[in-house]
């Protein structure tokens, strides 16, 4: 049904939150009861879709919303904003969260060209970093005050005339901002100042491959990177070795892999969850967006 699932964040209770790019909707998926339908958490008005999502405090998430069209594969400059989603003690009853999550807008970011990935910079200070895939730069946002600024602008993050998609997925680990840059076909890192998001040194290449999207780390520091439209998930070791762990160009297993994340409960900490666009960009037959578990 052409549902493009874009990103995921996993709650401490193990439930998976997924953002939809083809509609401005946030869903919860229960990985322990796969016969249960996804639960709609919220539909954000006035935008076309949702993108990056992170948990900053316990059960408090921040989501990017904006207008990137899955039909024209183009962005609307200045349409992007960040929203807060706060869960309480709500349970799923009759297909809905009761009581519902509290959802509120944090800030509009009119300078954003195509805001995409987001990562926690400093939990105690309420800081997150946001990648602008359209402009090839990084913003730092204080979610408490709504103040933000452009803090990193590097050539390796830029889009190209051939592909208007620069910095894509991003995560912070051990004082480094790791990021994929789709147009540059690289997986890089840069030391980052945890107090304000400014760079603390030069960019370092980790690995080179084609079209990396969002990713996650295992405890050993290996990155598991979704690769849409290659329809694969690749593992990149801390030494830069790249290997495919799931999928292939002509298979629907993880067709249109968009993001990855490891489970958070004792039952699924070694399970890698993958969201997909359902192979929207081909060459496989369109399947519809999925959440897939890799054991």
């Amino acid at each position: 049904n052409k549902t493009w699932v874009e990103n995921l964040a996993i709650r401490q209770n193990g439930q998976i939150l997924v953002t939809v790019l083809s509609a401005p909707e946030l869903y919860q998926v229960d990985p322990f009861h796969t016969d249960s339908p996804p639960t709609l958490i919220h539909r954000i008005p006035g935008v076309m879709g949702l993108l990056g999502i992170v948990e900053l405090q316990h059960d408090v998430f921040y989501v990017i919303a904006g207008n990137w069209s899955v039909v024209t594969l183009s962005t609307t400059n200045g349409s992007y904003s960040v929203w807060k989603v706060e869960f309480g003690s709500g349970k799923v009853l009759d297909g809905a969260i009761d009581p519902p999550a509290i959802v509120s807008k944090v800030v509009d970011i009119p300078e954003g060209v195509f805001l995409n990935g987001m990562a926690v910079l400093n939990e105690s200070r309420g800081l997150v970093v946001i990648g602008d895939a359209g402009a090839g730069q990084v913003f730092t946002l204080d979610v408490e005050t709504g103040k933000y600024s452009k803090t990193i602008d590097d050539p390796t993050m830029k889009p190209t005339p051939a592909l208007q998609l620069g910095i894509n997925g991003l995560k912070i680990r051990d004082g480094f901002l790791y990021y994929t840059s789709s147009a540059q076909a690289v997986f890089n890192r840069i030391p980052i100042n945890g107090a304000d998001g400014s760079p603390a040194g030069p960019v370092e290449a980790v690995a080179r491959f084609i079209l990396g999207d969002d990713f996650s780390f295992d405890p050993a520091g290996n990155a598991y990177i979704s690769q849409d439209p290659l329809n694969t998930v690749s593992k990149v070791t801390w030494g830069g070795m790249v290997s495919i762990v799931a999928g292939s160009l002509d298979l629907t297993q993880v067709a249109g892999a968009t993001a990855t994340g490891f489970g958070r409960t004792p039952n699924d900490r070694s399970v890698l969850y993958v969201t997909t666009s359902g192979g929207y960009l081909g060459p496989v037959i369109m399947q519809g967006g999925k959440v897939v578990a890799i054991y």
Side-chain angles (χ1 to χ4, degrees), residues 1-4 252 255 276-289:
N1 60 1
K2 299 185 178 180
T3 298
W4 184 312
T252 59
T276 82
S277 68
Y280 192 92
L281 300 178
V284 297
I285 297 174
M286 178 68 184
Q287 298 293 302

Side-chain angles (χ1 to χ4, degrees), residues 120-250:
V120 174
L121 174 64
N122 191 313
E123 179 180 347
S124 63
R125 295 193 178 195
L127 300 179
V128 298
V129 289
I130 300 170
D132 189 335
Q137 59 193 20
V138 176
F139 291 96
T140 298
L141 167 67
D142 184 328
V143 299
E144 299 300 329
T145 65
K147 294 182 179 179
Y148 63 90
S149 61
K150 181 177 72 174
T151 47
I152 304 178
D153 190 339
D154 189 87
T156 64
M157 300 177 176
K158 298 298 179 184
T160 65
L163 182 60
Q164 294 295 308
L165 183 65
I167 183 171
N168 198 329
L170 64 161
K171 293 287 187 296
I172 293 177
R173 180 182 175 90
D174 297 332
F176 285 87
L177 172 67
Y178 288 80
Y179 61 93
T180 57
S181 186
S182 297
Q184 304 289 336
V186 293
F187 179 47
N188 288 347
R189 71 177 192 174
I190 184 171
I192 191 170
N193 189 326
D196 59 11
S198 60
V203 169
E204 303 172 9
V206 179
R208 290 187 175 274
F209 52 91
I210 299 174
L211 291 181
D213 203 325
D214 216 318
F215 59 94
S216 57
F217 288 105
D218 68 15
N222 302 304
Y224 291 79
I225 302 180
S226 57
Q227 295 178 278
D228 180 15
L230 298 183
N231 303 329
T232 56
V233 174
S234 283
K235 174 183 177 180
V236 179
T237 69
W238 58 269
M241 299 294 294
V242 181
S243 59
I244 294 175
V245 297
S248 72
L249 187 62
D250 58 351

Side-chain angles (χ1 to χ4, degrees), residues 1-75:
N1 60 1
K2 299 185 178 180
T3 298
W4 184 312
V5 183
E6 173 63 13
N7 214 317
L8 79 163
I10 300 174
R11 298 178 63 186
Q12 291 184 26
N13 63 7
Q15 300 296 298
I16 304 171
L17 300 178
V18 298
T19 62
V20 177
L21 186 56
S22 51
E25 296 170 345
L26 177 68
Y27 283 89
Q28 179 171 282
V29 172
D30 186 344
F32 310 114
H33 300 89
T34 56
D35 56 341
S36 299
T39 301
L40 178 64
I41 300 300
H42 195 76
R43 181 180 177 91
I44 292 178
V47 294
M48 297 173 67
L50 306 184
L51 298 103
I53 179 171
V54 296
E55 183 181 25
L56 187 56
Q57 294 94 24
H58 174 68
D59 257 352
V60 179
F61 295 82
Y62 292 85
V63 181
I64 297 171
N67 294 344
W68 191 86
S69 171
V70 300
V71 176
T72 63
L73 303 182
S74 61
T75 185

